[in-house]
Amino acid sequence: MKHPFLPACLIAAFLAASVPSLADTLEKPIQDAFEAMASAQSEEAFYGAARTVVALGSDALPDLTKRLAAAKDDDERLNITYVLANIVGQMKLKREAIELPPELVSLTGKLLLETRNTQLEANLANFSVVAPHPAEFGPGLLALLERTEDQALRATASAAIVYQGAEVLPLVQDAFYRSTNDRFTGDLARVLYDTELSEQSIAKLQDLLKSDNSEARQLAARTLDKAGIKSSDLLESALKDLASARTEVELSFAASKVRKHTDLSERVAAALASAFERAHRIEERVELVSALLATGEPGKTQLFAVLQASNDPEEIGDLTRVTNTRLQDDPRLSAAYIAILKRTDDEKVSEAAIHGLVMARQPGREAIEAALKEQPADERLRRRLTKAASFFTPRTASD
């Protein structure tokens, strides 16, 4: 029997009623996956369920948008935004065109402004990085950066703002100009790092160099440095950082900044010399020595004073490594080692000073010979000088 003829319009209606849409096809597996994520008893189970949704790629975006809009609490939003960020991240890695549903863009911007859940804020910021929409996401990301004190979230929000592109710059500048919070202003200085600075921005950054917030000062200095801006306030900021440095990294960073902006004054040299009390590794000592040498004659004077006063054999050894090759022809170097031999009761300190004299080569040898010619009455000093001199005595074949 032949099939009866049906008009095209009736065939279309029949197919539409009989074949489920893609959205209908995906709704059940997505629902099952989110239920599995919500009830997961292990990370493995959670991530396994999440991967089933992520594997759907852009096809899952309409359903996820509806779910995010209908979510009743932050736990639901956390799971949805986690999956969204991963889907869009995978699309970006594969260089696929990313077209977000307008409702999702609007909803993300709204949640960035409203939520106070740190983990959800992080998910939204991560999502904003890979799917930039400056007009919609910019205000929320700036608001997030202003209110959060979480270090990691600040970094994520700052990166997300940068990834919004040039279109977000006017919003950033407006927030920068109006900000009275030094911490927030410093974060915005970081965002402005690679941009062309207006005169108003430069003035604001220079004012920030006077802040009591060390991180804000450093971020302002970094941005001004990148722009090639010269200012005496950069040195004052670096000296503040040097005085307040408590960790090895902070001390090294501050010393390098002082070196860059030094005015060759005795004041700067004295500040650098006093920082040796907090320098316990060769890395910091190298930075301090470099900064002292960059400070000219006042710096050298302070460096020799630090060496001569040291009671730490490790510090003397480090100073020997970084100063002898540069300053061995300066008689004050060998004089400092001789002064250590004269006054120390610590044999390890004495050994370090002897090593320094030997490493000074000919100037060291001449200093030892001159000290021995003085015929020191102190037998201990004579013994030390003789030992130092022995390192310069040529060995014979019989030896």
Side-chain angles (χ1 to χ4, degrees), residues 156-169:
T156 302
S158 296
I161 293 169
V162 170
Y163 274 99
Q164 300 311 300
E167 291 180 43
V168 82
L169 188 57

Side-chain angles (χ1 to χ4, degrees), residues 66-132:
K66 292 178 183 177
R67 290 178 185 278
L68 187 59
K72 299 179 179 62
D73 55 43
D74 282 345
D75 286 341
E76 283 188 63
R77 296 184 186 98
L78 279 169
N79 288 344
I80 296 167
T81 53
Y82 171 79
V83 171
L84 278 168
N86 275 275
I87 287 175
V88 178
Q90 290 290 332
M91 292 172 67
K92 190 159 191 173
L93 283 174
K94 296 175 182 177
R95 299 185 178 182
E96 296 179 12
I98 299 174
E99 295 184 9
L100 301 182
E103 298 84 354
L104 179 56
V105 174
S106 175
L107 183 56
T108 300
K110 183 171 180 287
L111 287 173
L112 279 166
L113 287 167
E114 294 177 355
T115 186
R116 295 299 182 270
N117 181 300
T118 300
Q119 192 173 348
L120 179 56
E121 289 170 328
N123 283 3
L124 292 166
N126 282 319
F127 177 67
S128 302
V129 167
V130 292

Side-chain angles (χ1 to χ4, degrees), residues 168-178 192 195-196 198 201:
V168 82
L169 188 57
L171 293 176
V172 174
Q173 290 171 329
D174 286 345
F176 185 62
Y177 300 148
R178 68 171 170 76
L192 292 170
T195 65
E196 185 175 345
S198 67
S201 295

